[in-house]
């Protein structure tokens, strides 16, 4: 017979009231609820020789605990004398029951006293160890391991290992993990535990992040790719965007510069499908439009990209370019889990162009003149003096790239995060620090430091509070502060100047201390080191409040959610600059040996002060949604309806506003047949009244073949077979170049002055753009067919074929003649682009033997777009010059037919071509110049003979593959990434050696690979050199077209986890050290500079490679 | 109880959702309220004047415009910017050397840019209205309308002179116009000339000759109308478009002949008449040649010619008929000053111009009586009667040791040319153009052919200290009217006494002996032919580097003769003061620095390829396809 001793219900009101008081001003929700018993709560209580019965009574008064016991088990008249001061309740209970020699269980707020189990009682405090795996023998990290009473908790490390301290009364422990069936494991007397968790309902209930919410994996029919956040940590680069290429099927990404702070990659989901301005995906962090560049990967819990219309239609006019969803880490129930990570790297350029020295340079210059029978400008003795380093002041030999760059720089990254919580309150705190030093040289003699460097501090604090069992309150605060310092001009400019200034004109600084420069040119070294510095500070705060209310009492499966967020970004910069005295290059030495110098411009001694820029933006976002999830037998139904609005203000005339509703209805029959309907109905203030809202629906169907009963016996082979297809519309309201395009504008134009003293000045004004009231958004119809395949429970294969047809692309009319006098050609929704391709991923995870684990993964993305319709000048349509039918960004140029030979000329001396050779109209030609094909056969090579050559600069193919291997405590991984079908026409001002007559331009070290009169080879890099800019040879043509495909070893990493025995007494659960290399190897046919750089002459801050060491540790 | 509370919560959430949804129906209902509209512009005096200023803004800048952007002077045989500047986007250097085709970019892009101003002027005509509250009177409005009409006509004359055959369309085009309305073809040359000539004459009656208000200086006047008209009619009478049979068969999309191939003597008569009318009106408005005098009362030709370019009207310069008050004089001066003095030091002039200047005795250097001696170096400084201070003052014009080519030349030579070894007052030294020396190569910022332009460069411009004396840019001056008149008259009435009169007036001010009168008089040119040659030579010198020579070369059809072939200068790579032809290091020897190309097509600019592409009714100018 059990006796219910006490029934009085004293709620533990304190915590709840406190919370409500705290957040009362923020929320209107108040809810009464079942109290949740807080076992961690401390109590102070004294029992002075009291009977057990009385003890229970007092405990009930104090804590609300109820006690159920059978008098057979306990003699409730036994007297106890104990005293507790600020002790956890559980400790109190343990002590009491230990003295009574019985065990108990705690269920909600009820203690059930059990008959004393002999076995349980003899067990002293002890530590158990074990490992948690899934059925595929893959170690499961972050599984929660808890003692039966929930008093002690831990979670597994990356190797699935755990250690748990038991209390004497424990008879079992539990293991749980999202997506798996929780398991209760009885205690053994000895040995390690290996716990194999079953996928919960064969992983079909696993939650996937989708647009405006989550879905059961079984129900997902959109093309969605996710990536483990850990894989976004493969690079030491500041910007997370640099880690996307090759990692995610469906992303095309390229990094075009390595400059600290400006090294974000350009990336597109499934390539580009508009020639309008807005091509980048919509990026949502915790559901709010934000940038991902300055997030630390450590902050991220999930990262998914939505590729097809089924996944992105809910975003309506903003989702046409695909959507990236990032959710930040949230707290998990358990005691505080502290982890730390530190990484220190040394960086250096992947590849820098190499220049020839001054003596070689001058010899090339002389040879150009000598070839046409003139004497070289530079004397033998001058060249000898440079070679012999005689008087470097007068005969300098400067490699300006070396002069402005250091060999190495460094970066470091540190993270500390804490994660934990109870059923009521969970928290995740992440703090990160990132530092990067730049390559630019500084002058140690100056008191200031002009070298480029960057410091970034990130914090993110996410808190979830169950204010009632059905009400969840979320508060996210995140942000960063980023400080940068650099010389007060763009680093790109510095690189351009280092390329522009020849090696022989003057040294960096004279031995007597004067700084030389050629008038109106620069001294790159002085530009980098003598001009002071600029301090740029950017900060961002991101906040989010959300309330989720479970309405199951009303309608089972119904939930409502409200979300409000505001973000603020600000950027300020201070320039402390000066200009040194510059001297003209010395023309010799006087009789005393002093350099003959004359001043070119007067500088200043001190650093000036200027507040350069101060700008920022803010955005506010409001969202309300209702979700419904319910199963009726085999019928699984999910629904979502949502309202949102966004106000983005960056100081423009009016804030940018969006408003809309979205909905999803998903039906799934016994996890096999899935149908889904999504829509977005939203608007943008960019368009004329009445044209502001658009409806974007999408449909999707899926068939989970492997769930069919007839597949049951094949399940060991085909662990997953899923077919899905979707079709829908998405829009894009970001029109490039023109906002409020329905309004006719007035432009400012060149002004004019009148007056005898030139003092009656008027700013000019004229007509600007013509308004077009019919303007609307771009609409893209996306279709997608995908297959997901799981084989032998080890291999995951996913393949998607897509087709996107985008119309109403906003463009400026190109067929309006200039004689009409319009300031700007009118804008119209004119263009149509088709984009299709394939993306796929393959993943293998295999525990080869208990000590050896192997994973292999690879992705492949191919996207090919084609302009179907656009406004083109009438004479261009249908000719080789037309870009219709070509990809966006198609390169155009001439087709070369090698170099002219003497045989092509009827009169070589006068440069007269034979009559049967097409006339070249760009300038005089000579043997050794590039000969072009007369495409239209009119006997003249002119602009009409231009045609599409090569492809686009942006790659059409991006792929990646890598592997991870773990053997006992050692792990090894590598990842290759590559791009293909990417081209560039190299060249530009001063690119052809000598073309500025030695006044500008450096020569690459391949300068000897050139056509000369004595060696008139065709297979050379450079055509005939000249000491002027040869208009003919400088044209974009196949001669200069290069394939910029490459494969790069993005990451190679070796790690070692210290044995647990060493760590145990340090309260450290896991300690891993690693060495990592990034971008250590690049293989490409193009050798002059890093093929990924976004310039045609190699002169940009290079992409960096790095070698780093780091450690990761988790505290117990 | 509990259930009720939950319900209340839920209702609250739903209410909030509903509230946001309903209250936000006007959320997007925003339009920018401070966007200027045409109506707002013309309600307001300042904005109205802004609009007018926008129309004026393409008036050519005779300083940096003629040099760098428009490039008229480098395109002629006057100016020689450093060939290395092609790297900095000086496309004009490529154009000099034949790197020129319909796709070549030309910054001013008149074909597209001038129609924008013309359209803007028509919008102005349609919208401008009196505004008594801001003292914009009816009278002021009618003047401004006349100004706008002047600008339309003026821009059409610029288009005519540049392209010859142009689409001619008066009034506004609707943005939604049909393709036929938009795609108009070219109009025969003479038709546009006739319209512009008449329009300018009509306007000259409406507009005043001068404005009394100082702040209106630079606004269109009757003199400007007549000046532009006279220049246009002179152009229309010239051999390029008067009796030129080279364009036979060049027709527009309607089959009309664009350039009439028959010669008309009347065109010269009209041109002479237009210049005479201008001359009369200008003189009666007080315009006269600018002169400065020595202490003894004689004309100081050095200061007269130099300061005619620098003095403002209120300083007594009445020669200017059409000025652009604000020009980019800074860049012009800086690019023309030697690199060793803080300038860019590469804005050169050609040997051809050096050779064109007369000797001190008024004769050309190829005249056996001129006494021209090229070789050797002078033994003594030359002193003349002048207060010109740029060559050490006290009348000193050249120094001892000057290359003989530069001695005993006429005053305009010294005002126009900065040669190697010339005194440079601001720096207190002579110029050193030798390679490796202060002002010389081998860089691109050095005189590639051994000369820098001195004309229009203010001697007090100091790039190191940022000083740059103001002066208006002269687009048209009385001196040109004299020579235009003389030229047209010599063609229409060869023996008219005015011909000699006005040529001699120019020579008198220039300090050069006159033809048939005055001190050291030269014989009067004996025939119409000889007089034509004399007038052409006088124009070349007097109007050098004023944006006029290229037009002259084209209308006289002498491009192939003077702009084709090797161009000479002094030896850029020379390091020694020597004139020995066989010494490769000698600076003072004639050396080729550039080979220029001018063929028949170059008489007109090509129509930009993109415009030919857009408009199927256009025909490309002769020779460009």
């Amino acid at each position: 017979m059990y006796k219910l001793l006490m029934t009085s219900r004293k709620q533990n009101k304190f915590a709840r009231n406190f919370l409500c008081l705290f957040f009362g001003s923020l929320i209107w929700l108040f809810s009464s609820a079942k109290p949740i018993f807080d076992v961690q709560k401390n109590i102070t209580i004294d029992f002075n020789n009291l009977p057990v019965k009385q003890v229970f009574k007092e405990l009930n008064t104090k804590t609300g605990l109820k006690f159920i016991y059978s008098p057979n088990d306990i003699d409730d008249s036994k007297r106890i004398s104990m005293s507790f001061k600020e002790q956890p309740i559980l400790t109190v209970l343990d002590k009491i029951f230990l003295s009574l020699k019985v065990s108990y269980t705690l269920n909600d707020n009820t203690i059930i006293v059990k008959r004393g189990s002999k076995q349980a009682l003899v067990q002293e405090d002890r530590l158990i160890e074990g490992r948690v795996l899934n059925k595929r023998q893959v170690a499961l990290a972050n599984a929660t391991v808890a003692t039966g009473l929930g008093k002690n908790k831990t979670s597994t490390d990356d190797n699935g290992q755990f250690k748990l301290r038991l209390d004497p009364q424990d008879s079992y422990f539990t293991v749980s993990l999202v997506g798996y069936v929780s398991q209760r494991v009885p205690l053994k007397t000895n040995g390690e535990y290996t716990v194999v968790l079953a996928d919960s309902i064969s992983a079909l209930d696993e939650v996937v992040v989708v647009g405006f919410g989550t879905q059961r994996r079984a129900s997902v029919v959109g093309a969605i790719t996710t990536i483990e956040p850990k894989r976004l940590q493969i690079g030491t680069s500041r910007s997370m965007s640099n880690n996307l290429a090759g990692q995610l099927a469906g992303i095309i990404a390229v990094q075009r510069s390595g400059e600290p702070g400006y090294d974000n990659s350009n990336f597109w989901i499934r390539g580009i499908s508009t020639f309008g301005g807005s091509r980048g995906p919509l990026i949502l962090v915790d559901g709010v439009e934000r940038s991902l560049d300055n997030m630390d990967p450590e902050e991220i819990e999930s990262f998914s990209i939505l590729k097809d219309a089924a996944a992105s239609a809910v975003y309506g006019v903003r989702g046409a370019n695909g959507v990236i969803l990032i959710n930040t880490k949230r707290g998990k129930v358990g005691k505080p889990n502290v982890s730390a990570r530190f990484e220190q790297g040394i960086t250096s350029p992947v590849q820098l162009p190499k220049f020839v020295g001054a003596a070689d340079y001058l010899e090339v210059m002389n040879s150009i003149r000598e070839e046409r029978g003139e004497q070289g400008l530079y004397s033998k003795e001058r060249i000898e003096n440079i070679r012999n380093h005689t008087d470097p002041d007068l005969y300098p030999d400067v490699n300006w790239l070396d002069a402005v760059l250091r060999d190495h720089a460094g970066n470091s990254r540190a993270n500390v995060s804490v994660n934990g919580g109870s059923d009521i309150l969970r928290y995740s705190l992440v703090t990160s620090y990132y530092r990067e030093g730049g390559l630019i040289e500084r002058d140690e003699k100056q008191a200031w430091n002009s070298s480029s460097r960057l410091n970034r501090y990130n914090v993110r604090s996410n808190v979830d509070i169950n204010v009632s069992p059905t009400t969840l309150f979320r508060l996210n605060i995140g942000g960063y502060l980023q400080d940068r310092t650099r010389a007060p001009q763009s680093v790109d400019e510095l690189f351009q100047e280092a390329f522009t200034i020849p090696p022989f004109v003057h040294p960096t600084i004279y031995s007597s201390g004067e700084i030389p420069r050629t008038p109106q040119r620069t001294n790159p070294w002085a530009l980098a080191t003598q001009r002071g510095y600029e301090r740029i500070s950017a900060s961002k705060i991101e906040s989010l409040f959300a309330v989720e209310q479970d309405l199951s009492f009303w309608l089972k499966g119904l939930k409502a959610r409200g979300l409000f967020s505001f973000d603020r970004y600000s950027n300020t910069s201070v320039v402390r600059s000066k200009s040194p005295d510059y001297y003209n290059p010395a023309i010799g030495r006087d009789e005393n040996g002093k350099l003959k110098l004359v001043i070119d411009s007067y500088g200043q001694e001190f650093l000036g002060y200027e507040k350069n820029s101060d700008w920022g933006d803010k955005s506010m976002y409001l969202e309300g949604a209702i979700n419904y999830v319910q199963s009726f037998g085999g019928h699984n139904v999910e629904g979502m309806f949502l309202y949102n609005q966004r106000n983005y203000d960056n100081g423009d005339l009016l804030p940018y506003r969006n408003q809309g509703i979205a909905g999803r209805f998903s039906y799934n029959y016994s996890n096999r047949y899935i149908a889904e309907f999504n829509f977005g109905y939203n608007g943008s203030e960019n368009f004329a009244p009445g044209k502001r809202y658009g409806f974007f629906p999408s449909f999707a169907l899926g068939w989970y073949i492997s769930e069919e009963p007839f597949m049951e016996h094949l399940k060991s082979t085909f662990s997953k077979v899923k077919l899905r297809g979707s079709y829908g519309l998405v829009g894009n309201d970001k029109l490039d170049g023109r906002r409020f395009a329905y309004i006719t504008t007035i432009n400012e134009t060149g002004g004019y002055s009148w007056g005898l003293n030139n003092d009656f000045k008027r700013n000019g004004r004229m007509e600007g753009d013509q308004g077009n009231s019919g303007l609307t958004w771009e609409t893209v119809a996306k279709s997608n067919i995908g297959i997901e395949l799981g084989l032998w429970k080890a291999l995951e294969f996913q393949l998607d074929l897509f087709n996107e047809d985008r119309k109403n692309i906003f463009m400026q009319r190109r067929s309006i003649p200039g004689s009409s006098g319009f300031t700007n050609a009118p804008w119209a929704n004119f263009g149509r682009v088709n984009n299709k391709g394939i993306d796929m991923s393959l993943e293998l995870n295999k525990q080869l033997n208990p000590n050896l684990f192997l994973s292999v993964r690879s992705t492949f993305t191919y996207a090919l777009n084609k302009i179907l319709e656009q406004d083109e000048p009438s004479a261009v349509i249908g000719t080789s010059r037309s870009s219709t039918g070509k990809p966006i960004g198609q390169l155009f140029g001439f087709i070369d037919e090698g170099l002219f030979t003497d045989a092509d000329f009827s009169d070589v001396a006068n440069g007269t071509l034979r009559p049967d050779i097409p006339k070249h109209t760009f300038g005089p030609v000579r043997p050794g110049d590039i000969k072009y094909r007369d495409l239209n056969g009119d006997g003249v090579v002119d602009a009409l003979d231009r045609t599409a050559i090569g492809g686009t600069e942006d790659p059409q193919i991006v792929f990646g593959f890598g592997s991870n291997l773990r053997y006992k405590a050692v792990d090894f991984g590598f990842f290759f990434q590559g791009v293909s079908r990417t081209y560039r026409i190299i060249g530009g001002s001063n690119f052809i050696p000598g073309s500025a007559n030695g006044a500008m331009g450096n020569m690459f070290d391949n300068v000897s690979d050139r056509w000369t009169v004595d060696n008139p080879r065709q297979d050379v890099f450079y055509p005939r050199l000249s000491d002027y800019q040869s208009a003919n040879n400088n044209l974009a043509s196949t001669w200069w077209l290069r394939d910029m495909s490459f494969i790069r070893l993005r990451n190679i990493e070796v790690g070692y986890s210290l044995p647990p025995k060493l760590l145990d007494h340090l309260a450290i659960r896991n300690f891993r050290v690693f060495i990592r290399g990034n971008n250590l190897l690049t293989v490409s046919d193009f050798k002059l500079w890093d093929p990924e750089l976004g310039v045609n002459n190699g002169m940009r801050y290079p992409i960096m490679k790095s070698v780093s060491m780091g450690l990761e540790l988790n505290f117990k | 109880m509990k259930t009720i509370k939950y319900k209340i919560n839920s209702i609250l959430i739903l209410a909030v959702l509903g509230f946001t949804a309903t209250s936000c129906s006007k959320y997007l209902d925003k339009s920018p309220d401070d966007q200027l509209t045409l109506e707002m512009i013309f309600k307001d005096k300042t904005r109205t004047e802004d609009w007018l200023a926008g129309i004026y803004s393409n008036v050519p800048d005779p300083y940096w415009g003629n040099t760098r952007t428009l490039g008229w002077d480098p395109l002629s045989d006057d100016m020689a910017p450093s060939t290395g500047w092609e790297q900095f986007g000086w496309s004009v250097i490529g154009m000099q050397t034949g790197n020129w085709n319909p796709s070549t970019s030309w910054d001013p892009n008149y074909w597209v840019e001038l129609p924008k101003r013309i359209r803007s002027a028509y919008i102005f005509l349609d919208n401008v209205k009196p505004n008594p509250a801001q003292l914009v009177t009816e009278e002021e409005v009618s003047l401004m309308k006349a100004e706008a009409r002047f600008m339309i006509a003026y821009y059409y004359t610029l288009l005519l002179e540049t392209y010859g055959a142009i689409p001619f369309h008066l009034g506004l085009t609707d943005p939604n116009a049909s393709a036929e309305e938009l795609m108009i073809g070219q109009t025969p040359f003479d038709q546009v000339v006739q319209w512009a000539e008449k329009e300018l004459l009509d306007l000259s009656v409406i507009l005043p000759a001068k404005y009394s208000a100082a702040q209106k200086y630079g606004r269109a006047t009757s003199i400007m109308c007549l000046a532009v008209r006279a220049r246009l009619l002179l152009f229309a009478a010239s051999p390029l478009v008067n009796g030129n049979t080279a364009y036979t068969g060049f027709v527009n999309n309607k089959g009309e002949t664009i350039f009439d191939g028959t010669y008309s003597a009347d065109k010269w008569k009209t041109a002479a008449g237009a210049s005479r009318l201008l001359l009369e009106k200008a003189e009666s408005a007080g315009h006269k040649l600018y002169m400065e005098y020595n202490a003894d009362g004689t004309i100081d030709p050095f200061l007269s010619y130099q300061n005619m370019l620098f003095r403002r009207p209120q300083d007594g310069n009445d020669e200017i008929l059409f000025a652009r008050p604000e020009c980019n004089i800074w860049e012009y001066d800086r690019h023309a000053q030697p690199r060793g003095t803080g300038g860019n030091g590469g804005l050169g002039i050609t040997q051809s111009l050096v050779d064109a200047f007369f000797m001190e005795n008024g004769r050309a250097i190829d005249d056996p009586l001129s006494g021209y001696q090229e070789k050797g170096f002078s033994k003594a400084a030359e002193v003349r009667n002048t207060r010109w201070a740029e060559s050490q003052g006290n009348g000193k014009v050249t120094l001892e040791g000057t290359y003989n080519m530069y001695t005993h030349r006429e005053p305009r030579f010294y005002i126009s040319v900065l040669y190697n070894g010339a005194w440079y007052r601001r720096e207190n030294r002579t110029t050193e153009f030798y390679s490796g020396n202060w002002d010389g190569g081998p860089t691109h910022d050095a005189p590639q052919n051994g000369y820098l332009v001195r004309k229009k460069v203010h001697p007090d411009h100091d790039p190191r200290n940022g000083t740059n004396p103001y002066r208006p840019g002269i687009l048209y001056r009385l001196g040109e009217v004299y020579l235009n008149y003389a030229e047209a008259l010599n063609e229409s009435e060869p023996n008219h006494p005015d011909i000699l009169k006005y040529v001699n007036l120019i020579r008198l001010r220039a300090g050069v002996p006159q033809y048939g009168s005055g001190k050291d008089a030269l014989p009067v040119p004996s025939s119409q032919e000889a007089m034509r040659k004399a007038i052409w030579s006088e124009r070349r010198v007097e109007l050098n580097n004023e944006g006029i020579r290229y037009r002259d070369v084209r209308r006289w059809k002498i491009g192939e003769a003077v702009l084709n072939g090797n161009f000479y200068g002094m030896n850029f790579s020379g390091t020694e003061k020597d004139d020995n032809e066989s010494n490769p290091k000698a600076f003072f020897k004639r050396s080729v620095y550039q080979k220029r190309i001018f063929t028949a097509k170059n008489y007109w600019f090509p129509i930009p390829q993109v415009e030919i592409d857009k408009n199927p009714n256009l025909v490309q100018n002769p020779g460009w396809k």
Side-chain angles (χ1 to χ4, degrees), chain A residues 377 521 551 553-554 599 624 645 653 657 659 742 749 755 757 762-763 767 818 875 881 923 943 990 999, chain B residues 6-7 10 17 24 27 31 34 49-50 87-88 99 103 117 119 214 217 312 314 444 464 573 584 611 613:
Chain A
L377 287 175
R521 296 264 64 75
L551 303 172
F553 56 86
W554 224 28
I599 194 147
Q645 66 181 44
L653 195 56
R657 284 186 168 179
Q659 182 186 34
Y742 61 94
T749 177
N757 293 309
R762 284 289 176 257
N763 308 319
E767 191 181 42
R881 292 184 293 151
N990 313 319
Chain B
Y6 287 139
K7 276 192 177 157
S10 333
L17 288 178
C24 299
Y27 187 68
S31 286
D34 62 343
E49 285 164 357
D50 281 352
Q87 306 286 312
F88 298 97
N99 294 351
S103 302
R117 304 297 169 201
R119 180 179 168 83
Y217 183 72
R312 297 171 299 174
Q314 64 267 47
H444 54 86
R464 284 194 198 121
S573 54
E611 294 298 323
D613 288 347

Side-chain angles (χ1 to χ4, degrees), chain B residues 354-427:
Chain B
V354 170
D355 292 344
F357 286 97
F358 298 102
M359 296 298 288
E360 195 181 1
N361 59 20
R363 292 175 187 274
I365 61 167
D366 54 0
D367 183 336
L369 300 174
S370 68
Y372 176 69
Q373 193 191 355
E374 185 158 314
K375 290 288 173 187
F377 299 89
S378 71
K379 301 281 187 299
E382 260 187 284
V383 175
R384 298 193 200 172
N385 186 13
T386 176
R387 288 178 295 138
W388 189 56
E390 300 309 316
S391 202
Q392 291 185 334
N394 296 326
K396 209 180 265 182
V397 173
T398 64
L399 308 180
E400 182 192 340
T402 301
Y403 187 42
N404 274 333
M405 184 188 272
Y406 314 135
T407 60
H408 303 292
R409 304 300 290 270
E410 61 154 312
R412 289 177 293 191
F413 171 81
Y414 300 99
I415 300 302
S416 303
V417 180
L418 190 65
Y419 52 85
N420 193 7
W423 187 253
Y424 203 77
R425 176 174 55 82
R426 184 164 58 78
E427 209 70 2

